[in-house]
Amino acid sequence: MRMARPYLLSLVFVLVVMAGLSLLRDMRKSESGTEVAVFRPSAATRLTNSNLVDLLIGLQLATPILRVEWENSLLTVEFKVNAARGLPVEWTRDVEQLLRLSFVKMENVNRVLIRYAVPADKAALPSNASKERDGQTELADSSVKSRLLLAADIRRTDSWLASLGELGSADPLHDEIWRERLRMSSTSEWTKWYGPVPTYSTRPAAE
């Protein structure tokens, strides 16, 4: 029995030293720039008024934003349209990115309203989705009035979202199937600028 006690003390000492060396190694990894798993930040999964601006700017959308609203699981984004040029070529890819952010990355967005409008006064606006104000990056002024051209209404429960990756190369303006999926509608203002929207169907012929 007298020999067992020194043996146990030696074993405890060895275990303490090994634990200390392991902790020191983890601390060195953290100092060298490697994140320790316990402190690794988690990606945002809920849209809030605090992170809305940063998330939209992070998308680097090709179409400038006129106005954005977030309330009760409903996200409304109004894009600026250059009346002389119409919709930019990249507009479907912008919509795809916006929907991917809303319904894939975020868990609290249930509906997205997308609007395309011409500023009422045709005033020059930023060429991207943000501008500098008092040293801080913000979205374009939400007080700018506009004339609505097109609108789309997409909901988390829409089954077609399983094919979201196809939207970037689709033609929702003219393809009837995509117009229905996005619940797209045009206004008299669109007709005034560009005339009626010609549509076509890609539905397979009935057998």
Side-chain angles (χ1 to χ4, degrees), residues 18 65 104 123 149 179 197-198:
M18 292 177 62
I65 294 177
V104 178
L149 300 175
R179 284 179 66 90
V197 179

Side-chain angles (χ1 to χ4, degrees), residues 5-191:
R5 183 176 180 182
Y7 175 78
L8 291 175
L9 291 176
S10 299
L11 179 61
V12 170
F13 176 78
V14 170
L15 292 175
V16 170
V17 171
M18 292 177 62
L21 291 175
S22 176
L23 178 61
L24 180 61
R25 182 172 61 253
D26 289 343
M27 291 176 64
R28 288 178 177 175
K29 286 183 178 180
S30 179
E31 292 174 356
S32 65
T34 303
E35 293 179 346
V36 179
V38 175
F39 301 103
R40 185 174 299 156
S42 59
T45 58
R46 296 183 64 82
L47 189 64
T48 67
N49 286 320
S50 298
N51 64 14
L52 173 60
V53 172
D54 290 337
L55 289 173
L56 290 181
I57 291 176
L59 294 180
Q60 298 182 344
L61 302 175
T63 313
I65 294 177
L66 279 174
R67 183 174 61 90
V68 61
E69 293 181 0
W70 166 244
E71 185 177 7
N72 297 328
S73 75
L74 170 62
L75 176 63
T76 302
V77 180
E78 184 170 288
F79 290 102
K80 174 197 171 185
V81 174
N82 185 319
R85 300 177 183 176
L87 294 174
V89 175
E90 305 88 352
W91 77 278
T92 54
R93 290 193 290 272
D94 284 350
V95 173
E96 179 186 342
Q97 288 190 72
L98 183 58
L99 297 183
R100 195 174 297 280
L101 169 69
S102 301
F103 298 133
V104 178
K105 297 183 179 180
M106 299 293 108
E107 60 184 23
N108 63 329
V109 181
N110 293 329
R111 188 179 180 188
V112 177
L113 297 180
I114 301 175
R115 298 160 57 94
Y116 289 87
V118 176
D121 55 1
K122 299 183 183 179
L125 291 174
S127 59
N128 49 43
S130 63
K131 63 179 180 180
E132 293 293 327
R133 178 182 295 171
D134 299 329
Q136 297 183 348
T137 302
E138 299 183 354
L139 292 178
D141 190 352
S142 61
S143 66
V144 175
K145 295 181 179 179
S146 58
R147 296 193 298 272
L148 181 64
L149 300 175
L150 292 173
D153 182 351
I154 306 94
R155 300 161 194 184
R156 179 177 290 274
T157 54
D158 290 342
S159 60
W160 71 265
L161 288 173
S163 305
L164 181 57
E166 301 174 9
L167 176 56
S169 57
D171 182 13
L173 184 60
H174 303 100
D175 188 332
E176 290 181 359
I177 292 180
W178 280 101
R179 284 179 66 90
E180 291 177 4
R181 287 175 173 178
L182 296 176
R183 299 181 183 86
M184 288 196 67
S185 59
S186 56
T187 67
S188 58
E189 193 69 28
W190 174 277
T191 304

